[in-house]
Amino acid sequence: MKPVTAYPSGIIIFLFALLQRSHGQCKEAAKKSEMNLSVKYDLPSFITETPIQNVVLYKHHVYIGAVNKIYVLNEALQNISVYKTGPILENPDCAPCEDCKDKANLSNSVWKDNVNMALLLETYYDDQLISCGSVAGGICHRHIIHPDNPADIESEVHCMYSTQMDGEADNCPDCVVSTLGTKVLVTEKDRFVNFFVGNTVTSTFQPPYVLHSISVRRLKETQDGFEFLTDQSYIDILPQFRDSYPIRYVHAFENNHFVYFLTVQRESLDSQTFHTRIIRFCTLDSGMRSYMEMPLECIFTEKRRKRSIRKEVFNILQAAYVSKPGAALAHEMGLGLNDDILYGVFAQSKPDSSEPTNRSAVCAVSVRTINEFFNKIVDKQNMKCLQHFYGKDSKYCLNRAFSRNASYCRAQDDEYRLEVTTPLQRVDLFMGQFNNVLLTSISVFTKGNLTIANLGTSEGRFMQIVISRSESTAPHVSFQLDSHPISPQVVVEHSLVADGYNLVVTGKKITKIPLNGPGCEHFKSCSQCLLAPPFMQCGWCSKRCARSQECVEGTWTQETCLPRNGCKDMCVRVYVCVCLAFYCHLQLGKGDIKNY
């Protein structure tokens, strides 16, 4: 009988050396044979006459909020109808919703463009589109969406404004959005529709059109406007800080019993440095007593010689997205498949400014972790009063007794509206890979066990990359979509089926990009083609990477590459052969390893 242990140790050493060497060669080959970054893809798109601000997808129709117009497209991005929202003639003697045409020739009348600040879907009372613009104090209109004709948003339009009663001049629940920036979240709880609004405000906003920094208002059952349930349903930056302490509301979402806002603001009233915060309060808390703020940091750490560590903080959030993980990422993060994860693209800002530089990072944190951090960190040593809302020496901020209720949805009186001073930190998922580009958008979806991010840049480049905490990944899609920045406003549809797509906005253009990728032509070599994620369905066909239906002139393969291109294509074969040989030897434990 032929002995099987005569040379296995030498073979194993040889295999490891060959594997290590081939891995280095493959990495080097990958660097030298980067993707074709100048490839052009022909994708469905639509160009509007004015810049796009918001996009809503409902019943196979795409509603686009742009300056002075709302467009309705079908899923192929073909224009079906257009509703004109501006310009609007404004006069101090004209109330919102009032026709001012008879005052057109007066010297104090001004025609103003109507920028779409919020475009929202509400389906509790009626299927309706709610559009809030930059004119007339930031009021909204509701457009009934007819079941038999979703493209018709013109037949039934209602202005959502009621004249204020005496004594209410300093309050305007129907003044919803700010021209300087707004995030609006609509929720349906206990048979009521609530609007949670975060506004950037300055001293220029004066009565009768008063805007609040952050608020919750209820849609009246008559649907002709809104109401505040209490005089605590809003929180405002003190007048003396409105011009020196701007707050930009970047993203808003709801999860279980809480509403969350993500903001960019100064670290304190005395600081010139900006950072990102998470705001959280209870969905049913009409008095906003459970309101809390906490810093969120996205960091990149790099080990250097002599055990020193370089740490970079990417301090200003540019865009965010909330979705569930694929099985692989869920396992790596210790989460379930139904756990929600907040993903954010962050940039480093210029010194003492909120203006971003071309240095970005991507971080992720589960909503469960956010809540656990809020609950655990609440300690008198790690909290302080919200000085931009109450002032440094306010009696409200002295001798506070903060609640430690873990749920934070049963606060009594004014137990806490507070700021947590300890930041929640997360590490860049891609380890400095985007430190020379400004990322401006992110959306995330799953395919099989994988979690994939769609990323957009300030220069109009669109990228796709697999998110992993255990493996280093690089974009498997990267192409120039437009010359304009990619907007944070993104829509992901049908993410779990083959025809899923992403709606991406760049200036006046909206583009439909398949979640499976725009194509395979950007892969320059066979090895790169076959290393593409399986959901892209790429194969090698007559010296080019293509999908099977595009391969008409040769044989389409998804297996191994012929070794005619040297190391670039041999890498795949070396990996496969070495790993199979080593696996078979360990599993079978017998036979001549040369036979494997």
Side-chain angles (χ1 to χ4, degrees):
M1 183 175 179
K2 192 173 183 178
V4 297
T5 57
Y7 49 80
S9 59
I11 290 291
I12 291 174
I13 294 173
F14 169 75
L15 289 174
F16 269 120
L18 183 59
L19 185 62
Q20 187 175 22
R21 181 181 176 185
S22 65
H23 177 63
Q25 289 174 336
C26 285
K27 288 182 67 176
E28 188 64 28
K31 291 179 182 178
K32 291 180 180 179
S33 60
E34 293 180 350
M35 294 182 296
N36 180 1
L37 300 181
S38 60
V39 67
K40 301 292 184 183
Y41 284 108
D42 185 18
L43 298 167
S45 64
F46 178 76
I47 298 177
T48 59
E49 295 180 11
T50 55
I52 300 171
Q53 284 84 46
N54 294 292
V55 179
V56 169
L57 181 65
Y58 184 61
K59 291 187 176 179
H60 308 291
H61 286 72
V62 180
Y63 301 88
I64 298 176
V67 176
N68 294 331
K69 293 182 179 180
I70 299 176
Y71 295 83
V72 184
L73 315 179
N74 59 22
E75 278 192 298
L77 300 192
Q78 297 167 325
N79 189 20
I80 304 174
S81 66
V82 181
Y83 178 81
K84 187 177 180 182
T85 61
I88 296 295
L89 183 68
E90 288 199 340
N91 182 285
D93 296 326
C94 277
C97 306
E98 184 180 338
D99 190 351
C100 292
K101 290 180 181 178
D102 60 331
K103 298 179 173 63
N105 295 325
L106 299 180
S107 59
N108 58 350
S109 294
V110 179
W111 287 97
K112 289 187 177 180
D113 287 333
N114 193 2
V115 180
N116 187 266
M117 303 305 299
L119 191 66
L120 311 157
L121 192 65
E122 194 283 303
T123 58
Y124 181 75
Y125 292 108
D126 295 292
D127 285 4
Q128 54 190 346
L129 194 69
I130 296 180
S131 172
C132 311
S134 61
V135 298
I139 64 165
C140 303
H141 290 77
R142 61 188 186 94
H143 306 252
I144 303 299
I145 301 175
H146 295 278
D148 56 340
N149 186 13
D152 179 14
I153 59 170
E154 186 172 2
S155 296
E156 197 173 345
V157 182
H158 304 276
C159 180
M160 304 176 75
Y161 179 80
S162 303
T163 304
Q164 301 302 298
M165 305 293 289
D166 292 340
E168 294 182 337
D170 291 340
N171 202 356
C172 180
D174 297 330
C175 301
V176 179
V177 298
S178 165
T179 57
L180 301 178
T182 291
K183 277 289 169 282
V184 183
L185 179 70
V186 182
T187 68
E188 299 172 9
K189 294 285 186 182
D190 295 341
R191 299 178 292 108
F192 292 107
V193 177
N194 291 327
F195 281 54
F196 296 87
V197 185
N199 278 324
T200 300
V201 297
T202 65
S203 58
T204 59
F205 297 101
Q206 298 293 333
Y209 306 133
V210 176
L211 290 172
H212 299 288
S213 298
I214 192 161
S215 61
V216 53
R217 64 197 78 199
R218 178 166 293 172
L219 178 62
K220 294 178 182 177
E221 293 188 63
T222 55
Q223 301 185 68
D224 59 348
F226 302 89
E227 59 184 348
F228 293 122
L229 296 185
T230 76
D231 60 0
Q232 299 293 310
S233 295
Y234 44 84
I235 308 177
D236 293 315
I237 296 180
L238 292 174
Q240 62 266 36
F241 302 132
R242 290 193 176 186
D243 295 327
S244 62
Y245 193 84
I247 299 178
R248 181 167 65 93
Y249 293 84
V250 181
H251 191 75
F253 66 98
E254 179 188 20
N255 188 273
N256 291 329
H257 304 299
F258 295 105
V259 166
Y260 303 80
F261 282 85
L262 299 171
T263 67
V264 171
Q265 58 197 84
R266 296 190 194 278
E267 291 183 353
S268 68
L269 292 176
D270 301 321
S271 174
Q272 297 300 309
T273 303
F274 284 80
H275 70 170
T276 299
R277 292 191 188 183
I278 303 175
I279 294 170
R280 189 192 77 167
F281 53 96
C282 300
T283 308
L284 297 178
D285 182 7
S286 58
M288 299 183 71
R289 296 188 180 97
S290 55
Y291 181 98
M292 301 174 72
E293 296 184 3
M294 175 176 64
L296 174 64
E297 287 187 351
C298 183
I299 62 175
F300 169 59
T301 58
E302 184 180 41
K303 292 184 179 180
R304 312 182 101 180
R305 294 179 180 178
K306 298 182 179 179
R307 297 182 180 179
S308 66
I309 297 178
R310 179 172 66 92
K311 173 183 171 182
E312 289 187 79
V313 178
F314 294 81
N315 55 319
I316 53 173
L317 181 71
Q318 298 299 294
Y321 196 83
V322 176
S323 68
K324 302 184 188 304
L329 183 64
H331 177 74
E332 292 170 349
M333 296 182 68
L335 301 174
L337 294 179
N338 289 321
D339 280 327
D340 284 313
I341 297 178
L342 169 65
Y343 303 90
V345 292
F346 296 76
Q348 286 185 348
S349 69
K350 294 180 179 179
D352 299 336
S353 169
S354 61
E355 184 178 350
T357 64
N358 290 341
R359 292 180 62 82
S360 300
V362 183
C363 283
V365 58
S366 70
V367 177
R368 185 206 304 176
T369 299
I370 293 173
N371 291 331
E372 290 173 351
F373 197 85
F374 265 121
N375 297 343
K376 291 178 181 178
I377 205 65
V378 172
D379 182 272
K380 200 167 185 178
Q381 304 302 316
N382 298 311
M383 297 183 301
K384 68 177 183 179
C385 181
L386 295 160
Q387 296 181 352
H388 48 290
F389 291 142
Y390 299 108
K392 297 180 181 179
D393 302 319
S394 168
K395 293 180 180 179
Y396 182 85
C397 292
L398 302 176
N399 300 318
R400 293 290 307 282
F402 297 114
S403 167
R404 295 180 64 89
N405 185 323
S407 71
Y408 289 103
C409 282
R410 295 181 181 177
Q412 300 297 319
D413 300 323
D414 288 332
E415 283 185 334
Y416 55 92
R417 280 182 179 177
L418 57 89
E419 173 187 338
V420 177
T421 56
T422 303
L424 173 60
Q425 291 186 336
R426 281 299 177 266
V427 177
D428 180 13
L429 288 168
F430 302 112
M431 299 304 293
Q433 192 172 157
F434 300 107
N435 62 4
N436 60 353
V437 66
L438 175 57
L439 296 176
T440 55
S441 78
I442 183 170
S443 61
V444 179
F445 64 99
T446 60
K447 284 288 184 182
N449 292 332
L450 299 178
T451 308
I452 302 101
N454 298 314
L455 302 175
T457 76
S458 62
E459 297 178 345
R461 180 165 288 275
F462 179 88
M463 295 179 286
Q464 248 185 22
I465 185 170
V466 174
I467 299 175
S468 175
R469 293 281 295 269
S470 61
E471 298 180 12
S472 177
T473 62
H476 54 265
V477 170
S478 179
F479 69 99
Q480 194 68 31
L481 178 63
D482 201 344
S483 59
H484 297 282
I486 294 183
S487 168
Q489 297 292 328
V490 292
V491 173
V492 174
E493 179 67 357
H494 304 314
S495 62
L496 299 179
V497 297
D499 59 348
Y501 59 86
N502 199 39
L503 294 178
V504 179
V505 172
T506 50
K508 300 178 183 179
K509 184 178 181 181
I510 183 169
T511 305
K512 183 177 180 180
I513 304 176
L515 295 181
N516 288 344
C520 305
E521 297 173 25
H522 54 282
F523 295 116
K524 295 167 65 175
S525 70
C526 179
S527 58
Q528 281 187 322
C529 181
L530 301 193
L531 288 172
F535 66 86
M536 291 189 69
Q537 300 172 344
C538 294
W540 195 247
C541 172
S542 298
K543 300 183 180 180
R544 68 185 184 95
C545 193
R547 288 173 174 153
S548 58
Q549 63 270 27
E550 301 167 341
C551 184
V552 295
E553 71 277 15
T555 302
W556 186 78
T557 179
Q558 279 190 305
E559 294 175 1
T560 59
C561 301
L562 295 176
R564 56 174 172 260
N565 289 334
C567 175
K568 297 177 186 177
D569 294 329
M570 280 294 289
C571 288
V572 175
R573 299 185 72 208
V574 169
Y575 259 125
V576 171
C577 293
V578 169
C579 292
L580 279 176
F582 189 41
Y583 173 81
C584 292
H585 180 75
L586 291 178
Q587 293 296 315
L588 300 179
K590 60 183 179 179
D592 193 335
I593 201 166
K594 290 184 290 184
N595 294 331
Y596 303 134

